[in-house]
Amino acid sequence: MKRECYPIYNTFGIDAKARLYVEYGSEDELLALLPELSAASRLLHVGGGSNLLFTSDFDGVVLHSGIRSIEVVGEDDDFVLLRVGAGVVWDDFVAHCVAHGWSGVENLSLIPGEVGASAVQNIGAYGVEAKDVIVSVETIGLRTACRRVFQNEECRYGYRQSVFKQELRGQYAVTYVTYRLSKHFVPHLDYGNIRAELADAEPLTPQHVRDAVIRIRQHKLPDPAVQGNAGSFFMNPVVSREKFESLQAAYPQIPHYDAPDGVKIPAGWLIEQCGWKGRAEGRAAVHDRQALVLVNLGGATGADILHLSAVVCDAVWQKFGIRIHPEVNVI
Ligand code: EPU
């Protein structure tokens, strides 16, 4: 499908149009299109539009995958390998796994977006990240029109990071992701209030965990269909142990998690302490139940959201001396 001057779907509900919008249904279709598209234009590959903030129309070609297959490509007594098209809605994939009794992604229930983005963003929630179940990522080079498969280690995954967001940013379209799910349920219940939410589920199944995660998310996070947003707007900052100790002396209740390179502090907590939770600046606001989320109150532009983001970052810097950075991709 090819459309000119076409609105780009984004969960922030910002009006933005692509000069040309192209959805392809197979690798061969993408390979056939690339020479013509990449010669002339800027290219932007999008997924479900749940992590994008547009500050203007996009004067180029927006690509979207319509590859939506889920196939079992290997299995033994313990594990199943699933090769999944990049255009599959992420939560449909989670529901598919849970319905078959395969575990590994149930904690990632209800995250907006598509399978391709799970491998780019290394989506994560409630103690689990996509990298824990990704085996390999199949791609096509947007400038080279060559296929390339990245094994998990080559993706260089970190907290909300991958090689596809860093050195190779914008260079590859993800076509398929292969995940390894477990046939034996290993629950991950140590994050936050998941265990409490599951109090009387016995015996525990991936479906129980999925239901609990859905309840928690629906309670805390705004539904983009009702109020435009892109989930967490900021990443949680990691500070040095010395910095953390001085903060903890001043704020003994400060929530924190150990991270490989220091101590991770929830940005939502920092923003709330600055008095910004629930506050609006024009048509953009900080969500009233999770301060990490910025929302479009209706009719906000990308510039309105960016302005609020800058004001909030500045408030956190002034009060705590910590820089917080957007997680969303600003286009
Ligand atoms: N907190 C506050 N005030 C707030 C928000 C949070 O004090 O307004 C405190 C909470 O009380 C808790 C701590 O911060 O002690 C952590 O809060 P929460 O469990 O809600 O998680 P988070 O660190 O704010 C991260 C992810 C979310 C993910 C949750 C659960 C990032 C940037 N965000 O948020 O991801 O759902 O953990 O795992 O890492 C997303 O990426 O869009 C997203 C929603």
Side-chain angles (χ1 to χ4, degrees), residues 43-301:
L43 292 177
L44 173 67
H45 201 296
V46 298
S50 56
N51 211 37
L52 295 176
L53 178 64
F54 287 97
T55 54
S56 64
D57 288 338
F58 186 75
D59 183 25
V61 180
V62 168
L63 286 166
H64 184 232
S65 171
I67 305 179
R68 299 200 178 92
S69 54
I70 302 183
E71 46 176 335
V72 173
V73 291
E75 91 181 283
D76 62 17
D77 291 344
D78 302 320
F79 296 103
V80 58
L81 288 182
L82 292 159
R83 180 176 184 249
V84 188
V88 171
V89 170
W90 172 260
D91 195 55
D92 291 351
F93 167 60
V94 175
H96 179 90
C97 294
V98 168
H100 285 80
W102 301 325
S103 84
V105 287
E106 56 281 354
N107 292 43
L108 305 179
S109 290
L110 213 65
I111 294 183
E114 295 174 356
V115 158
S118 76
V120 174
Q121 287 286 118
N122 184 24
I123 57 172
Y126 307 105
V128 173
E129 290 183 310
K131 72 166 173 51
D132 304 334
V133 287
I134 289 175
V135 175
S136 60
V137 181
E138 292 171 59
T139 68
I140 288 178
L142 293 174
R143 299 290 169 195
T144 59
C146 291
R147 288 188 168 89
R148 178 167 170 192
V149 181
F150 292 78
Q151 299 304 317
N152 180 304
E153 318 74 67
E154 295 173 276
C155 299
R156 296 217 235 117
Y157 284 124
Y159 168 58
R160 299 290 198 273
Q161 281 303 346
S162 74
V163 76
F164 307 112
K165 284 185 77 179
Q166 301 275 331
E167 300 90 297
L168 302 182
R169 188 179 190 93
Q171 293 187 37
Y172 288 89
V174 173
T175 49
Y176 293 92
V177 184
T178 298
Y179 302 92
R180 191 178 79 146
L181 281 299
S182 175
K183 292 185 175 177
H184 310 289
F185 180 33
V186 185
H188 295 277
L189 308 178
D190 291 332
Y191 186 95
N193 47 349
I194 291 213
R195 206 179 283 277
E197 191 67 38
L198 283 164
D200 39 2
E202 189 62 50
L204 194 61
T205 64
Q207 186 69 53
H208 289 122
V209 175
R210 172 168 168 76
D211 293 344
V213 167
I214 288 177
R215 282 196 298 275
I216 297 170
R217 291 186 72 96
Q218 285 179 334
H219 175 70
K220 273 198 170 180
L221 298 169
D223 177 355
V226 178
Q227 193 167 51
N229 74 88
S232 302
F233 191 90
F234 302 101
M235 285 187 276
N236 288 329
V238 174
V239 301
S240 69
R241 192 145 281 285
E242 296 89 303
K243 172 78 183 171
F244 169 68
E245 280 162 10
S246 76
L247 285 167
Q248 200 181 32
Y251 304 92
Q253 309 301 327
I254 189 169
H256 58 279
Y257 308 93
D258 283 333
D261 41 354
V263 182
K264 195 188 274 184
I265 317 267
W269 183 87
L270 296 168
I271 296 167
E272 182 171 349
Q273 297 302 307
C274 293
W276 270 96
K277 192 170 183 169
R279 265 175 73 183
E281 184 83 354
R283 294 167 289 186
V286 178
H287 187 51
D288 56 3
R289 267 175 283 157
Q290 165 54 291
L292 199 50
V293 178
L294 303 188
V295 296
N296 176 354
L297 295 175
T301 62

